[in-house]
Amino acid sequence: ATLAAILSPAFLVSATNIMADLPLLFFYLASITVVTKAFENEKLIYLWLAGFLMCAAVMTKYFGISIVPLLFIYSLNRLKGFNRHMFSFLLPIIVLLVWELYSYTQTGSIHFFNSAAYALETNKEWMTTLGTFLAYLGGCFLWPVFMLSTAFLLNKKLLAGGMAFFILLYWKLPSQLFSQTQSLWLPLALAGVYVLCVLLTQIKDCWKNPETLLLVLWSLGTLFFAGACNWTINARTLLPAAFPIAVRFTRWIELQE
């Protein structure tokens, strides 16, 4: 799973530029590692260290704020309740509020909300956005394209639903999207639909296992942000999902044996 993630185009593209995506991924993974170790070793005071790592993630890129609800829900599920050390999850929120207050005093605007508003304004053609998103989902990880032969392992109803969705999307998409890329879009988007189908197979029982819940929410949350909330779809916005999707896919394949 790790090899699939680090050899994916999403990781390679991000690793060969000077953008903030790899530092964000570091703080993201570090926060998750510290929180999971805190529960494994029964040392919940480590959650405060995770809180500072989450602050670093938030100040690296705004997407870093997504780690807060992700780990909060995971912690609630793991503890079956609330613990005083979970107040550490307020640290990144406080840091973000202070930063936005500073931004407002200097520029007269709240940068976080301005960025979100711009993203919503540029994503008006939702059908085209969805078609582009699926192609990027398959192409930025790439390994799902080579795993399409295992699609028959899916639940028959889910497989039929995924194929029906893909055919309907292809029929409804504007023809200009395929001006010169139809032969490339088809396998990549089909692989993207396959990834979504595999993730959906694990939603039903994810609340029974905290680690599964973490991976599913991590994957779907990143995909939702990349496809619906960001101003453009690219490999860098999909990067945080590379590891959890690879892990979930690997575990799903193992369960079919």
Side-chain angles (χ1 to χ4, degrees):
T2 302
L3 188 62
I6 63 176
L7 291 180
S8 66
F11 187 87
L12 295 177
V13 167
S14 301
T16 53
N17 60 47
I18 55 173
M19 304 296 282
D21 301 281
L22 279 187
L24 169 67
L25 182 63
F26 168 78
F27 291 123
Y28 217 89
L29 293 176
S31 301
I32 292 172
T33 300
V34 170
V35 170
T36 54
K37 291 297 182 181
F39 288 110
E40 289 177 6
N41 299 326
E42 298 183 353
K43 294 183 178 180
L44 296 186
I45 196 170
Y46 287 174
L47 294 181
W48 291 97
L49 173 58
F52 286 107
L53 290 169
M54 285 186 276
C55 290
V58 171
M59 296 308 295
T60 301
K61 287 189 71 173
Y62 282 140
F63 176 75
I65 194 64
S66 64
I67 194 68
V68 179
L70 173 66
L71 290 180
F72 184 77
I73 294 173
Y74 168 77
S75 300
L76 283 177
N77 185 268
R78 189 71 184 258
L79 289 171
K80 308 302 180 184
F82 185 83
N83 183 280
R84 68 181 188 279
H85 291 297
M86 290 174 64
F87 281 113
S88 59
F89 294 120
L90 291 175
L91 291 176
I93 298 175
I94 293 172
V95 168
L96 181 60
L97 289 175
V98 171
W99 167 250
E100 293 306 324
L101 178 61
Y102 172 77
S103 174
Y104 183 78
T105 59
Q106 297 298 311
T107 66
S109 63
I110 300 177
H111 190 246
F112 181 84
F113 293 116
N114 285 354
S115 301
Y118 179 75
L120 292 175
E121 290 176 1
T122 55
N123 284 336
K124 293 181 179 180
E125 297 294 334
W126 67 271
M127 187 66 73
T128 302
T129 299
L130 181 57
T132 304
F133 166 74
L134 290 174
Y136 266 86
L137 180 56
C140 287
F141 298 145
L142 198 57
W143 54 263
V145 176
F146 302 102
M147 298 296 292
L148 281 173
S149 60
T150 62
F152 71 92
L153 296 173
L154 286 168
N155 176 280
K156 292 182 179 179
K157 292 182 179 179
L158 186 59
L159 179 60
M163 288 303 301
F165 168 73
F166 178 77
I167 293 171
L168 179 63
L169 179 65
Y170 178 73
W171 179 53
K172 288 288 187 179
L173 280 174
S175 58
Q176 60 265 31
L177 185 64
F178 304 119
S179 57
Q180 297 177 341
T181 60
Q182 182 171 351
S183 60
L184 183 61
W185 182 87
L186 285 172
L188 296 184
L190 188 59
V193 172
Y194 182 29
V195 170
L196 292 181
C197 288
V198 171
L199 292 177
L200 290 176
T201 62
Q202 292 134 20
I203 287 183
K204 183 179 179 181
D205 300 320
C206 67
W207 289 99
K208 299 178 182 178
N209 186 292
E211 282 68 34
T212 301
L213 176 65
L214 175 65
L215 291 170
V216 170
L217 291 180
W218 182 359
S219 303
L220 295 180
T222 303
L223 298 184
F224 177 77
F225 172 82
C229 301
N230 201 43
W231 70 277
T232 184
I233 301 171
N234 54 54
R236 295 184 294 107
T237 55
L238 288 169
L239 174 63
F243 288 91
I245 288 179
V247 172
R248 287 312 306 153
F249 199 94
T250 302
R251 290 184 180 180
W252 177 75
I253 290 293
E254 291 175 349
L255 289 174
Q256 309 311 309
E257 297 179 354

